Structures are given as C-alpha cells and as structure tokens.
Amino acid sequence: MSTQTAARRFGPYALLTPAVVILGIAMGYPLVRQVVMSFQEYGRAQQFGQAAPFVGLENYTQLFTDPQMWAVVGRSLAFCAVNVVVTMVIGISLAVLLKHVSRGPRLTLQIAMLLAWAMPVIAAMTSWQWLFDTRYGVINWTLVRLGFESFDGHNWLTNPWSFYFVATVIVVWMSVPFVMFTIYAALTQVSEEALEAGELDGANAWQRFRHIVYPTIRPVLTITLLLQVVWDLRVFAQIYYLQGVGGTPSKTHLLGTYIYTLGIGQSDYGMASALAMFVLVLTLVLTAGYVRALLKESR
C-alpha cells in the first residue's frame, strides 16, 4: 500500500481521533462513574472520604417499588408529550407563515423569535414570574378586566394543573424559535419548480405537501422532533424555578427536579444515579424509532 493510498484511507480517522478522545473523556467518564454509583450507597459521608459500599440492585429495587417515582415518570411523560406536540404545531405553523409573508413581516417575526430564543433562562423566568404574579401580574389583571373576577389575587403555582400550564407556556415559548427556524430552513430547500409542476399536473395543496414538501423536509422534521422529545423529557430549570417561587415540589416534580432533590437535596447520590440511568434508558426507548428512521434515510 502506497503512502498516498494509506493517507487517503486512514487520514479521516486520524482527524477524528482527537475529537473522539476528548468526547470519550468528557462524556465517558461521568457516564461510567454514574453507572458505578447507581450500585453503591453513596451519601454525604462518602463525599468526605468514607468508602462507598456496593449494594447491588438495592437502589434500583427501592426506586422501582416507590410509587412517587412512578408518579413523577407519568407526569414527566405527559408533560413531555403535551409540550412536544404544542411546540411542533406552533413552530411548523410559524415556519409556513414565514414562507408566505412578505420581507418586512418575515424579518420582524424572525427578530422577535431570535430575541426570545437568545434570552437567558433566569431573565426569562423572572419576566414570566412577574406576568403570572398573584398580586401584580399582568395576566391576572387582564383576566379581571375581562370579567373573570375569580382571578383577582389568583395564585397560578399552588395548584399542580395551573402550575404545569404556566410551565408549558414558558417551555413552549422558549422552544418554538428553534423549531420555527429549523423547519423554515428546510422549507426553503423545497424545489419551487417541483411545486409548480405538481400544480400544473392538477395536484391540490395537500397532494403537493404529501408528495413534494413532506419528503423533502422529513429528515429535518424527524431530528427536530427527536431533539424536542429529549429536551422536554429532561426539562429542569423552568420547573425548579417555579417550584422556588410558589410551587409545591412534591406535587410538581418532574424527572429532572426529582433527580436533583434525591442527589443535592437528600444527598442520596446512589438513588439519584439509579434514577438518572433509568431516564437514560427511557430516553433511548422513546427515541429509538426516530433514530432508526434517520439511519434508514441515510443509507
């Protein structure tokens, strides 16, 4: 084998090696450490140097027989499903709107979405807290002016249903810009000539979407949906912040905040690690179909 042939054959792998090594160290070690801790009794004493005894599957057994854990899982799946559906519908609708409006409104909407997307989480949460504030919130004030007197002094965070409504509004507001920009970029790749040809051949709007637009944007739709499932299943900052300003943690925990409570709050890092491994497996199960579809399309 000549030097040039060897360089052509192994060169790409050599270029990838540094990135693979760095990712392996940065992601592989924490994952392995988490797996090990999930089989240990690891609490506050172990943080100060005491040996962590192995307890086998005790953490997992205790976790899977805990009704509260399954209640958190159920709430997390429901919250994820609602947020993914609402985010995708609004994001796709806005992307289609961008494709059909003139330059001025399109730029205005893009700038507004970009600003919403770029806003730091804590800054955004502070604004939303003020909007839904019990005494001085704009939402309550508006509803009272519209004739809904029962919202005078209404606390949106004490009831779990209204708590999740507020959380959904915030999470969707933060997630829609990504979906909109991504789908809009995909829509710009749809061939205008193919659409015109389909229209000349008598295809209606639905047929043109089904046979021309959808096949073109399907890979982007799939990966966008995949990312939304992962992000909405592991949402943490918004829930944790709302719990801190009025929510009841025991009734509003999702998987992210429950893991945090077990680990940081109760110093039970073994149980927290076991739950984190369960969440990892759950994420893989929920996204396996989408990943399989992406792999088939890439062949």
Side-chain angles (χ1 to χ4, degrees):
M1 182 184 297
S2 66
T3 304
Q4 186 176 3
T5 304
R8 187 182 299 112
R9 181 174 180 180
F10 297 108
Y13 298 102
L15 294 173
L16 285 173
T17 299
V20 172
V21 171
I22 292 173
L23 286 175
I25 295 174
M27 300 178 65
Y29 172 76
L31 179 61
V32 172
R33 186 77 181 105
Q34 183 172 281
V35 172
V36 173
M37 286 176 60
S38 70
F39 294 100
Q40 293 177 323
E41 181 184 333
Y42 201 102
R44 187 174 287 107
Q46 283 66 40
Q47 290 183 282
F48 292 95
Q50 184 174 323
F54 279 89
V55 294
L57 296 175
E58 183 178 333
N59 288 332
Y60 289 96
T61 301
Q62 185 177 347
L63 190 67
F64 294 146
T65 55
D66 181 10
Q68 184 179 3
M69 192 279 289
W70 290 113
V72 171
V73 171
R75 289 198 296 264
S76 299
L77 291 174
F79 185 83
C80 175
V82 170
N83 279 265
V84 167
V85 170
V86 175
T87 300
M88 292 298 294
V89 169
I90 296 177
I92 293 172
S93 300
L94 290 176
V96 173
L97 178 64
L98 283 178
K99 195 77 169 58
H100 292 88
V101 296
S102 60
R103 187 170 183 271
R106 182 168 63 249
L107 285 176
T108 302
L109 181 57
Q110 287 176 326
I111 292 172
M113 289 292 108
L114 189 60
L115 290 174
W117 195 15
M119 185 177 291
V121 174
I122 298 303
M125 293 302 300
T126 302
S127 300
W128 282 106
Q129 178 189 348
W130 174 73
L131 288 172
F132 284 97
D133 185 74
T134 301
R135 296 179 61 187
Y136 308 109
V138 174
I139 303 298
N140 283 354
W141 181 86
T142 303
L143 290 173
V144 171
R145 292 301 179 277
L146 291 175
F148 299 95
E149 299 293 336
S150 60
F151 284 93
D152 186 15
H154 177 72
N155 190 325
W156 290 84
L157 302 180
T158 54
N159 183 281
W161 287 103
S162 58
F163 176 96
Y164 287 125
F165 171 76
V166 174
T168 297
V169 170
I170 297 172
V171 171
V172 169
W173 178 81
M174 291 181 171
S175 303
V176 161
F178 169 76
V179 176
M180 186 197 75
F181 282 118
T182 305
I183 302 304
Y184 174 68
L187 288 173
T188 60
Q189 303 305 308
V190 178
S191 172
E192 293 293 339
E193 291 78 8
L195 290 173
E196 291 176 3
E199 187 174 4
L200 290 174
D201 288 339
N204 57 34
W206 167 248
Q207 291 172 329
R208 294 196 300 274
F209 172 81
R210 179 183 177 185
H211 297 291
I212 300 175
V213 177
Y214 177 69
T216 304
I217 68 172
R218 183 171 57 187
V220 177
L221 273 175
T222 303
I223 197 168
T224 304
L225 183 62
L226 174 67
L227 291 173
Q228 283 303 132
V229 170
V230 173
W231 292 337
D232 289 339
L233 185 64
R234 300 186 176 194
V235 64
F236 170 78
Q238 296 88 340
I239 302 299
Y240 182 74
Y241 186 96
L242 291 176
Q243 288 177 340
V245 296
T248 306
S250 61
K251 296 180 180 179
T252 57
H253 270 317
L254 297 184
L255 286 168
T257 54
Y258 193 50
I259 292 173
Y260 180 87
T261 299
L262 288 175
I264 304 301
Q266 302 177 12
S267 295
D268 193 348
Y269 295 97
M271 284 285 289
S273 297
L275 182 55
M277 293 306 303
F278 171 77
V279 173
L280 176 61
V281 173
L282 180 62
T283 304
L284 293 175
V285 170
L286 291 176
T287 58
Y290 304 115
V291 174
R292 192 180 303 114
L294 285 174
L295 292 176
K296 287 182 179 179
E297 291 175 1
S298 63
R299 292 176 182 174

